[in-house]
Amino acid sequence: MNLELTETQTILRDSLRELLEAEVPFSRVRELEKRPTLDEALWRSLHEQGWLAVSIPDDPDDGGLIETGLLVEEVQRRAALVPIAESLACAVAIRRYGPDDRAADLVGEIVSGSSTLVPAILESADRFDTIDAEVTVDGRLRGEKRFVDYASCATHHLVAARQHDQVGLFLVDAAQPAVKIEATHSMARTPQARVLYDGVAAEHICDAEGFAFLIQLGRAPV
């Protein structure tokens, strides 16, 4: 297996590295870490310049994971406070396992920056195989999630929950009044929260296969 980057991938990596070095001084990172909060200027710039689009091919079976890894690696290398790993993980999972027309719309919103999605997976048990959050037959989600990165900065959460005793991923508009976000603190400087969903409207996006893929993607080393 050839693990070397192609010429295009190398240019992509180097171009993003140069952009981050120019636009994200470490002094700004340290200042944002004190709150902690999203680097809104950088997040807007990444969308406007089309960086999120490069890792989302038109054909969901046409790769894109290497490019995704490169983007995440360079942003994390700079310690920039933007939810690129979270948003791209959601986008790739939705693109592969979501309903075709709806998936295309959601991915388009993520790429353009009109929507920011973050996963909400773990609960108090801190296990991927223990999901107690439930969605009723009329599409109402009740449950609690822990360790949700950038929960307060996102427009939507992609929540792991059960419906008809099957685990899936459900889209929740984070602006709903019944979404209660409580900031938590950790050794990391990423904005993180505990989130309570108290009977909020939830849209089914992926079945168990998409949920499993999202976990695999999120745990992949970069």
Side-chain angles (χ1 to χ4, degrees):
M1 180 183 294
N2 183 5
L3 298 180
E4 294 183 1
L5 298 179
T6 66
E7 181 180 358
T8 300
Q9 290 166 346
T10 301
I11 292 172
L12 170 71
R13 180 200 63 191
D14 293 347
S15 298
L16 181 56
R17 185 173 297 180
E18 291 175 5
L19 170 72
L20 293 170
E21 289 176 353
E23 292 198 11
V24 190
F26 286 124
S27 58
R28 187 166 97 197
V29 174
R30 288 192 290 270
E31 183 61 32
L32 291 170
E33 285 178 341
K34 293 176 183 178
R35 293 173 233 182
T37 189
L38 171 73
D39 187 336
E40 294 183 3
L42 175 61
W43 192 228
R44 183 169 54 253
S45 179
L46 291 172
H47 284 103
E48 289 174 349
Q49 297 183 35
W51 284 103
L52 274 72
V54 302
S55 63
I56 311 295
D58 292 334
D59 183 347
D61 296 321
D62 190 26
L65 293 183
I66 293 177
E67 290 77 11
T68 297
L70 289 174
L71 264 64
V72 171
E73 182 178 44
E74 289 306 313
V75 169
Q76 292 184 342
R77 179 175 178 271
R78 198 65 185 174
L81 287 170
V82 292
I84 194 163
E86 294 78 7
S87 289
L88 287 178
C90 288
V92 174
I94 290 170
R95 187 70 183 90
R96 290 195 175 200
Y97 295 100
D100 291 341
D101 290 343
R102 185 66 175 118
D105 288 343
L106 285 172
V107 171
E109 292 174 11
I110 294 171
V111 167
S112 70
S114 60
S115 294
T116 298
L117 273 65
V118 297
I121 305 296
L122 289 170
E123 300 180 359
S124 59
D126 197 18
R127 293 173 56 92
F128 291 115
D129 59 354
T130 302
I131 303 295
D132 292 327
E134 285 194 73
V135 177
T136 61
V137 292
D138 60 345
R140 293 287 168 176
L141 169 66
R142 285 184 170 80
E144 178 185 285
K145 295 295 177 179
R146 306 282 183 94
F147 320 113
V148 183
D149 290 342
Y150 296 98
S152 61
C153 309
T155 61
H156 296 78
H157 299 170
L158 194 61
V159 185
R162 293 185 175 276
Q163 188 178 50
H164 309 304
D165 204 32
Q166 298 294 321
V167 176
L169 296 174
F170 296 81
L171 186 69
V172 172
D173 185 338
Q176 295 181 74
V179 177
K180 307 298 184 183
I181 300 175
E182 177 186 329
T184 56
H185 301 282
S186 68
M187 293 182 65
R189 291 294 183 251
T190 300
Q192 196 175 82
R194 165 183 172 266
V195 186
L196 177 65
Y197 305 95
D198 189 13
V200 300
E203 177 187 358
H204 179 264
I205 298 296
C206 300
D207 292 325
E209 192 175 20
F211 168 65
F213 177 78
L214 180 62
I215 292 173
Q216 282 186 315
L217 195 58
R219 297 172 82 178
V222 295

